[in-house]
Amino acid sequence: MSFNKKLFLIFSLTFIIIIFFIFLFIFFQYTDYSQEQIDINEKTSDISKPKFSINGKKQKISVTANEGNFLTEDEIILEKNVIFKSNKFKIYTDNVIFNKKTLVASSQNKSKFISNNTSIDSAGFDIIENGNIIYFKGKTKLILK
């Protein structure tokens, strides 16, 4: 039984080329699919630009942020450029958990407190009793002018 070497070579090359084109087709189809995928895990906020105030006996503190998300029915996490502002001071931070039922604000992030002749840098803070008491957490640096 003899076979034609030329015919065998043509069939072999044809088979290899077909397999090559199939792999190319699958590769380009996968590449197009991966470029069109939408990032489902992209975080979106529940509240855009939240703004509210804490009314205490001695002062009114307005609170603003760029984003907010509900953690529970009573707790809101405020994120990105969070500012607590009253006529006596300002506090800047990036992440605060606020309980709207107890009116307690708590941050574990780097915070900056600025008043008339005082500046405080801390690793976080708690605002309690309707804004009348502020506890600074962690490493704290007090600057008096």
Side-chain angles (χ1 to χ4, degrees):
M1 184 164 145
S2 83
F3 59 92
N4 190 344
K5 292 181 183 181
K6 221 180 214 183
L7 189 62
F8 178 73
L9 185 61
I10 291 173
F11 280 127
S12 298
L13 284 175
T14 306
F15 181 73
I16 290 172
I17 290 172
I18 290 172
I19 297 294
F20 178 73
F21 281 117
I22 289 173
F23 281 122
L24 280 177
F25 178 74
I26 291 171
F27 174 76
F28 284 119
Q29 194 174 30
Y30 175 76
T31 304
D32 290 342
Y33 174 73
S34 66
Q35 290 175 354
E36 293 177 12
Q37 278 185 329
I38 298 171
D39 188 12
I40 296 172
N41 294 331
E42 186 175 311
K43 188 176 182 183
T44 58
S45 58
D46 295 332
I47 309 165
S48 179
K49 304 257 184 212
K51 185 176 186 177
F52 58 91
S53 62
I54 304 170
N55 295 319
K57 294 177 185 175
K58 299 177 184 177
Q59 62 188 338
K60 178 180 177 180
I61 302 172
S62 65
V63 182
T64 59
N66 287 348
E67 293 181 3
N69 287 296
F70 290 101
L71 297 176
T72 65
E73 187 175 320
D74 294 328
E75 288 187 330
I76 301 169
I77 186 164
L78 303 169
E79 298 175 306
K80 297 182 182 175
N81 196 26
V82 182
I83 302 171
F84 288 79
K85 181 180 178 182
S86 78
N87 55 356
K88 297 180 181 181
F89 67 87
K90 288 183 183 179
I91 298 177
Y92 300 94
T93 189
D94 281 329
N95 193 332
V96 174
I97 296 176
F98 180 74
N99 188 314
K100 61 184 182 177
K101 190 173 187 177
T102 61
L103 300 177
V104 172
S106 180
S107 177
Q108 303 292 330
N109 291 58
K110 182 180 171 187
S111 306
K112 184 162 189 86
F113 172 92
I114 298 175
S115 188
N116 290 337
N117 296 322
T118 307
S119 174
I120 300 173
D121 293 327
S122 70
F125 64 89
D126 288 330
I127 297 177
I128 60 172
E129 293 186 21
N130 294 349
N132 293 326
I133 298 175
I134 303 172
Y135 289 117
F136 293 98
K137 299 177 184 178
K139 187 176 180 181
T140 303
K141 180 180 172 182
L142 172 65
I143 301 171
L144 299 173
K145 297 177 184 176

